[in-house]
């Protein structure tokens, strides 16, 4: 199984980076994982800004040569792992800019003229690992589960990815945040997960 890990945090001393390390450690110990690639969006200098003008049209984004390497990574991956913080109830703008550009019509989905498109990334799975300062139930109780709805329904299900798992960890700036237990939970999952 090919695993693409997309890391989105500007600080390698962050708790998000610690979760990235546990994803990698567990995946390397999993006999079903063939190869692992890490895309660190900040380190890569990924440009999240959308530009559309007379020379660059939105409908041509699926064939933008500047994004070819990232499209190849997504095609290559059987499992996509996203590691990021929750800021203001949603993923960072850097990750959303990546999503806006990469999950484009003609690459991730194809309009069929009906209500829903044909998802072109079928057969892949996604794991979202997010950390936040607020309590664990904050996104559910105060935001109507907006983060999970955005990622699962508005994005991944739309492009044909049905298998989506979340690790959404709250109270992560608190000394009572049970950091080590949560890091171990992620490590064990990636060490043992199948398919």
């Amino acid at each position: 199984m090919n695993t693409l890990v997309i890391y989105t945090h500007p600080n390698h001393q962050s708790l998000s980076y610690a979760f990235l390390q546990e994803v990698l450690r567990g995946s390397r110990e999993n006999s079903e994982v063939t190869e692992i690639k890490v895309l660190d969006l900040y380190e890569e200098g990924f440009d999240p800004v959308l530009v559309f003008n007379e020379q660059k049209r939105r409908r041509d984004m699926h064939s933008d040569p500047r994004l070819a390497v990232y499209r190849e990574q997504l095609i290559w991956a059987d499992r996509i792992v996203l590691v990021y913080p929750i800021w203001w109830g949603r993923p960072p703008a850097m990750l959303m800019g990546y999503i806006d550009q990469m999950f484009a019509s003609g690459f991730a989905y194809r309009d069929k003229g009906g209500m829903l498109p044909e998802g072109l990334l079928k057969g892949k799975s996604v794991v979202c690992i997010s950390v936040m300062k607020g309590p664990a139930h904050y996104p559910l109780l105060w935001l109507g589960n907006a983060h999970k709805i955005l990622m699962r329904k508005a994005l991944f299900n739309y492009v044909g990815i049905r298998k989506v798992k979340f690790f959404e960890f709250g109270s992560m700036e608190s000394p009572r945040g049970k950091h080590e237990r949560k890091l171990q939970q992620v490590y064990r999952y990636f060490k043992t997960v199948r398919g």
Side-chain angles (χ1 to χ4, degrees):
M1 174 178 307
N2 292 330
T3 302
L4 173 64
V5 185
I6 302 169
Y7 172 71
T8 311
H9 197 291
N11 183 357
H12 283 195
Q13 304 304 313
S14 69
L15 189 56
S16 292
Y17 192 75
F19 277 104
L20 168 65
Q21 297 311 306
E22 294 308 311
V23 168
L24 296 176
R25 186 167 72 102
S27 296
R28 288 179 183 128
E29 295 178 19
N30 187 326
S31 62
E32 287 208 0
V33 175
T34 311
E35 191 176 346
I36 307 164
K37 292 182 183 177
V38 177
L39 171 58
D40 182 332
L41 291 175
Y42 282 95
E43 194 171 82
E44 177 88 5
F46 184 84
D47 184 358
V49 178
L50 287 173
V51 176
F52 300 126
N53 52 39
E54 295 79 21
Q55 292 80 36
K56 191 171 182 180
R57 298 176 303 180
R58 185 169 188 254
R59 67 175 168 243
D60 299 328
M61 198 163 43
H62 71 281
S63 59
D64 184 336
R66 184 179 60 88
L67 302 173
V69 66
Y70 305 113
R71 286 193 297 272
E72 290 168 12
Q73 290 171 345
L74 288 169
I75 291 167
W76 168 86
D78 301 306
R79 176 178 294 130
I80 302 163
V81 181
L82 305 173
V83 181
Y84 55 94
I86 296 290
W87 291 334
W88 298 107
R90 51 122 182 102
M94 174 67 89
L95 180 57
M96 297 311 294
Y98 171 88
I99 288 167
D100 286 346
Q101 294 178 71
M102 297 316 306
F103 291 85
S105 176
F107 171 71
Y109 68 94
R110 179 176 26 247
D111 287 316
K112 299 188 303 184
M115 186 189 294
L116 294 174
E118 175 188 1
L120 301 177
L121 298 178
K122 294 179 181 126
K124 299 180 184 298
S125 65
V126 170
V127 181
C128 296
I129 302 168
S130 58
V131 299
M132 66 190 123
K133 178 180 180 179
H137 298 297
Y138 171 77
L140 174 62
L141 300 176
W142 291 99
L143 301 176
N145 223 13
H147 167 239
K148 287 183 179 176
I149 290 170
L150 166 71
M151 300 304 276
R152 182 188 309 272
K153 292 185 179 177
L155 173 60
F156 295 120
N157 287 179
Y158 195 83
V159 299
I161 300 173
R162 299 286 177 224
K163 189 174 179 183
V164 183
K165 176 159 181 66
F166 291 91
F167 289 95
E168 198 173 64
F169 296 120
S171 303
M172 296 312 287
E173 291 186 19
S174 165
R176 295 185 305 275
K178 301 177 182 168
H179 302 109
E180 198 54 46
R181 182 175 65 79
K182 293 171 182 176
L183 287 163
Q184 285 299 309
Q185 181 183 355
V186 166
Y187 160 72
R188 284 192 305 272
Y189 174 81
F190 282 94
K191 181 179 179 177
T192 60
V193 66
R194 300 290 178 252

